[in-house]
Amino acid sequence: MENKLEQLLVHHLNEIWNQRDETLRLTAIEKFYTKDFTLFEEGENVTGYDAINHKVSTLLNSFPPIFSIKQLKPIGINNNIGKLDWGVGPEGAPPVATGTDIVIFENGKIKSLYVFLNK
């Protein structure tokens, strides 16, 4: 089961958080997130497929087009919780920002995402 959850986090990163096409991203959101999925960031909670899609678009549009989000360390899975350490920046260069995603899985999908930015 852990391998499936690890793969789910890889899809979450690549097909949602690195996808600049909103239509393709929405399809991935519906596939990998539960209907009641909630994103928790410091001072903000976002729920709903369209709201999440808009949130990711806003974030990606704030980055230069050459930036992407990369996995920095092996994914950790503990029962229904996953941990993904990531960095954002241009390909082949050190990240300009890093953070950690903590996710809660439910029935083979991601139910909750807690984003921690390293300061």
Side-chain angles (χ1 to χ4, degrees), residues 9-22 24-26 28-29 32-33 52-53 55-57 59-61 63-72 84-91 101 113:
L9 279 180
V10 170
H11 291 301
H12 148 84
L13 181 64
N14 295 326
E15 297 178 41
I16 296 172
W17 291 91
N18 276 313
Q19 177 54 259
R20 292 183 181 264
D21 181 300
E22 291 182 2
L24 293 175
R25 183 182 330 113
L26 183 58
I29 287 169
F32 301 122
Y33 292 169
I52 297 299
N53 200 15
K55 175 70 176 176
V56 176
S57 287
L59 176 71
L60 291 176
N61 289 335
F63 297 155
I66 62 170
F67 276 34
S68 63
I69 305 170
K70 302 286 186 209
Q71 178 182 330
L72 297 179
L84 171 66
D85 293 299
W86 52 264
V88 63
E91 187 69 37
D101 288 352
L113 166 61

Side-chain angles (χ1 to χ4, degrees), residues 44-111:
E44 180 181 20
N45 300 343
V46 180
T47 301
Y49 290 159
D50 290 331
I52 297 299
N53 200 15
H54 178 73
K55 175 70 176 176
V56 176
S57 287
T58 300
L59 176 71
L60 291 176
N61 289 335
S62 73
F63 297 155
I66 62 170
F67 276 34
S68 63
I69 305 170
K70 302 286 186 209
Q71 178 182 330
L72 297 179
K73 296 179 182 176
I75 291 171
I77 303 292
N78 183 344
N79 292 291
N80 70 326
I81 298 173
K83 178 178 175 271
L84 171 66
D85 293 299
W86 52 264
V88 63
E91 187 69 37
V96 298
T98 61
T100 300
D101 288 352
I102 303 295
V103 304
I104 308 295
F105 300 106
E106 182 179 270
N107 298 322
K109 290 189 172 191
I110 297 173
K111 178 178 178 59

